[in-house]
Amino acid sequence: MNPSPIPDYIKDKIRQQANNRCGYCLSLQKYVLGLLEIEHIIPKAKGGSDDEHNLWLACRLCNSYKGRQTEAKDPETEQIVPLFNPRKQIWSEHFQWSQEGTQILGKTPCGRATVMALKLNNLIATTVRQQWILAGWHPPKI
């Protein structure tokens, strides 16, 4: 097994900067089964680096749906736009929670495209969020 090229101190720093939550769906580490992943905002396959400015925290579900994507189609304008960058953009400017708190709604072309591309309202996510709401854990404070 190859050691990670990202030093542990950088991973720890990113976890702190991200407040131990996914940059996309805001799931907190303490509620997610499995370790939140260090993800490449610009994937290495598309020329992204292991530098701190290109790394953030993501849950496995968001990271797996994101894959190599860096842009997607806004379903409203049908324009191709960059995906949300949790390191450089403010979540609440691009997203909001639905009234019942189970779905993430895009407020901007970037937000809407990211919701669709990362399948932020997939059945697993919305089902888990329903249970988190019942437990008083959701939606998270932003």
Side-chain angles (χ1 to χ4, degrees), residues 93-112:
E93 290 180 5
H94 296 276
F95 309 98
Q96 66 187 28
W97 292 104
S98 62
Q99 188 172 359
E100 74 283 354
T102 60
Q103 293 195 20
I104 297 171
L105 307 175
K107 296 166 54 174
T108 63
C110 169
R112 291 186 297 266

Side-chain angles (χ1 to χ4, degrees), residues 9-123:
Y9 77 92
I10 294 289
K11 291 178 183 178
D12 292 342
K13 187 175 180 182
I14 290 165
R15 287 183 187 287
Q16 285 183 327
Q17 292 169 343
N19 294 319
N20 272 315
R21 67 180 180 192
C22 176
Y24 302 101
C25 71
L26 300 186
S27 293
L28 289 165
Q29 176 63 76
K30 65 183 177 179
Y31 304 143
V32 176
L33 185 61
L35 195 61
L36 292 177
E37 302 173 349
I38 302 296
E39 74 108 5
H40 292 79
I41 295 165
I42 306 296
K44 290 181 81 170
K46 287 196 167 187
S49 71
D50 287 331
D51 294 336
E52 182 181 337
H53 71 273
N54 189 47
L55 303 173
W56 203 246
L57 206 55
C59 70
R60 180 72 187 128
L61 205 53
C62 286
N63 201 16
S64 66
Y65 282 126
K66 181 173 179 273
R68 297 173 59 176
Q69 297 182 87
T70 58
E71 57 187 22
K73 186 187 287 189
D74 171 14
E76 191 173 301
T77 66
E78 298 196 8
Q79 298 293 311
I80 302 296
V81 297
L83 293 178
F84 177 71
N85 181 332
R87 181 169 279 288
K88 294 182 178 178
Q89 295 173 296
I90 298 169
W91 194 93
S92 61
E93 290 180 5
H94 296 276
F95 309 98
Q96 66 187 28
W97 292 104
S98 62
Q99 188 172 359
E100 74 283 354
T102 60
Q103 293 195 20
I104 297 171
L105 307 175
K107 296 166 54 174
T108 63
C110 169
R112 291 186 297 266
T114 302
V115 167
M116 296 305 289
L118 275 62
K119 300 179 184 358
L120 295 179
N121 296 317
N122 68 74
L123 182 59

